[in-house]
């Protein structure tokens, strides 16, 4: 099997063939999730703990459902971001967790790198559910599966990622994944929301939607991440929507069959027009949510196999 990792911490650690293995496995789970009986046993007997130090609705629900559908005992631990500002506390958390013998640990944390640190201290498989501005690997994988199903391939596509790139772990994981699969990536947004040194990632940068969207196959919108902004990055939300909000007029610059994506939660009327977001002929936003459960089932299935192999060999 071409997926030999102990943890899923970021897309940066995955090879293209591992990404394909994971997406192929997720396809099986799409079918299972659409069946009347939705139970598998890949995680039977295993304990999954979800630790979210930052708010989450869909990602936490998606991981919970994924674990339950595969037979794991799933527990959600409510964590307050304020209670773990010190590295030492995170290590204490790891010690507490080790004593509970989890097999899969799903972690979201406001600090980049915190999930990696935790992974070094616990005796189980760790899945990064988003760490600061760093990575959100299952989001990029579910986006990849959505694109592959809509476009019939995941290479040589022209993909625009638009909006608040600077604060977005979703953008970072997607840039890495889509780059590894040899797509052409365009980033569109105001210069204040573009990370410095981004062109080293082999992307094209635009500050004009009409030019940036020209003939793209995929338009990925991002939320304005106000909680990560500490100053005036944009003049006003109205002005932002006018220049960078996706509506039918701006989308007309993309290919006629271009799809529209958004990781959620959406700010309707800020980064995207609400009617367009709901247009099932263009928007695949609901498909992204559906693919999310399947991708998380696949990721936990593959990691659990590796965990069992390691434990069996010990
Ligand atoms: N839900 C995604 C994340 O956790 C995107 C967002 O919050 O805008 O990064």
């Amino acid at each position: 099997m071409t997926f030999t990792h102990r943890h899923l911490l970021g897309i940066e650690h995955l090879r293209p063939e591992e990404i394909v293995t994971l997406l192929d496995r997720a396809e099986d789970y799409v079918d299972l999730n659409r069946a009347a009986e939705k139970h598998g046993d890949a995680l039977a007997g295993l304990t999954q703990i979800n630790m979210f130090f930052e708010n989450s609705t869909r990602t936490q629900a998606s991981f919970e459902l994924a674990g339950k559908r595969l037979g794991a005992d799933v527990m959600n631990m409510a964590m307050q971001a304020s209670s773990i500002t010190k590295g030492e506390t995170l290590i204490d958390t790891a010690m507490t967790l080790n004593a509970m013998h989890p097999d899969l640990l799903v972690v979201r944390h406001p600090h980049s790198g915190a999930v990696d640190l935790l992974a070094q201290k616990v005796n189980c498989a760790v899945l990064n559910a988003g760490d600061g501005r760093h990575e959100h690997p299952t989001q990029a994988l579910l986006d990849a599966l959505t694109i592959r199903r809509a476009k019939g391939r995941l290479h040589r596509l022209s993909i625009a990622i638009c909006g608040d790139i600077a604060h977005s772990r979703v953008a970072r994981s997607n840039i890495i994944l889509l780059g590894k699969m040899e797509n052409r990536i365009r980033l569109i947004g105001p210069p204040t929301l573009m990370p410095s040194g981004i062109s080293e990632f082999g992307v094209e940068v635009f500050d004009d939607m009409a030019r940036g969207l020209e003939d793209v196959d995929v338009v990925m919108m991002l939320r304005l991440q106000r909680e990560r902004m500490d100053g005036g990055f944009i003049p006003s939300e109205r002005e932002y929507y006018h220049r960078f909000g996706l509506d039918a007029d701006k989308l007309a610059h993309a290919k006629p069959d271009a799809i529209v994506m958004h990781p959620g939660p959406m700010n309707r009327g800020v980064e995207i027009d609400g009617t367009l977001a709901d247009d099932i002929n263009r928007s695949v936003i609901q498909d992204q949510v559906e693919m999310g459960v399947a991708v998380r089932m696949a990721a936990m299935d593959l990691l659990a196999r590796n965990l069992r192999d390691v434990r069996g060999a010990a």
Side-chain angles (χ1 to χ4, degrees):
M1 186 183 65
T2 26
F3 192 92
T4 51
H5 299 272
R6 181 163 171 224
H7 308 293
L8 179 61
L9 298 176
I11 300 297
E12 61 188 329
H13 309 294
L14 303 183
R15 287 177 284 125
E17 58 271 29
E18 292 175 319
I19 293 169
V20 172
T21 298
L22 202 147
L23 299 186
D24 290 347
R25 175 59 49 89
E27 287 285 0
D28 298 336
Y29 287 128
V30 174
D31 295 340
L32 180 72
N33 290 338
R34 289 183 180 183
E37 301 282 326
K38 299 174 179 54
H39 283 288
D41 59 4
L43 305 181
L46 300 184
T47 299
Q48 172 191 337
I49 299 184
N50 297 334
M51 284 174 85
F52 282 66
F53 295 93
E54 222 183 43
N55 288 343
S56 164
T57 318
R58 81 198 64 216
T59 305
Q60 184 167 341
S62 184
F63 268 111
E64 184 174 350
L65 201 53
K68 285 183 171 162
R69 286 199 178 151
L70 291 182
D73 293 313
V74 185
M75 193 186 87
N76 291 311
M77 272 172 83
M79 311 300 296
Q80 285 299 320
S82 56
S83 72
I84 66 123
T85 45
K86 294 179 184 157
E88 211 182 40
T89 320
L90 196 59
I91 308 299
D92 285 346
T93 309
M95 292 309 175
T96 309
L97 282 168
N98 272 335
M100 293 184 192
H101 299 292
D103 303 289
L104 296 152
L105 187 60
V106 179
V107 189
R108 168 168 289 189
H109 199 284
H111 297 159
S112 305
V115 183
D116 291 47
L117 181 67
L118 202 58
Q120 291 165 26
K121 306 286 175 192
V122 292
N123 305 320
C124 63
V126 176
L127 293 101
N128 181 0
D131 65 322
R133 304 175 190 191
H134 178 226
E135 281 237 34
H136 192 351
T138 56
Q139 177 71 48
L141 289 161
L142 75 87
D143 289 339
L145 186 60
T146 307
I147 295 171
R148 194 173 81 168
R149 289 170 68 96
K151 293 283 149 202
R153 65 179 199 274
L154 190 57
H155 58 276
R156 278 188 278 110
L157 291 166
S158 184
I159 299 170
I161 306 179
C162 315
D164 185 0
I165 315 280
H167 300 104
S168 177
R169 55 196 173 208
V170 174
R172 198 164 182 282
S173 289
N174 264 304
I175 291 166
I176 301 171
L177 190 154
L178 297 167
K180 282 186 195 228
M181 306 311 284
E182 295 179 10
N183 294 286
R184 196 166 155 202
I185 305 169
R186 296 169 160 211
L187 305 182
I188 315 173
T192 46
L193 294 178
M194 216 40 89
S196 54
I198 192 69
S199 34
E200 286 161 29
F201 280 78
V203 294
E204 291 171 87
V205 179
F206 296 83
D207 65 0
D208 177 79
M209 289 287 271
R211 283 199 310 119
L213 290 179
E214 206 58 58
D215 284 333
V216 300
D217 300 285
V218 176
V219 185
M220 196 181 281
M221 300 309 297
L222 298 171
R223 182 174 66 91
L224 263 189
Q225 307 224 331
R226 290 245 175 237
E227 73 278 21
R228 298 195 203 290
M229 296 182 190
D230 50 12
F233 284 84
I234 56 161
S236 72
E237 286 187 352
R238 228 175 119 194
E239 167 75 10
Y240 182 81
Y241 181 67
H242 176 68
R243 287 198 58 203
F244 296 101
L246 187 68
D247 57 14
D249 287 348
K250 295 193 188 85
L251 184 62
H253 294 276
K255 286 203 180 136
D257 62 351
I259 55 169
V260 174
M261 307 178 75
H262 193 302
M266 252 186 295
N267 293 311
R268 291 168 185 261
V270 178
E271 68 259 355
I272 190 164
D273 168 60
T275 313
L276 183 57
D278 297 333
D279 178 356
I280 53 166
N281 296 315
R282 304 309 294 270
S283 163
V284 293
I285 296 172
Q286 293 307 319
D287 303 82
Q288 290 174 269
V289 178
E290 181 185 1
M291 295 310 125
V293 180
V295 153
R296 289 168 180 130
M297 289 164 90
M300 292 197 286
D301 172 355
L302 295 177
L303 291 176
R305 282 164 200 259
N306 294 344
L307 193 70
R308 287 189 170 115
D309 286 350
V310 171
R311 287 177 179 169

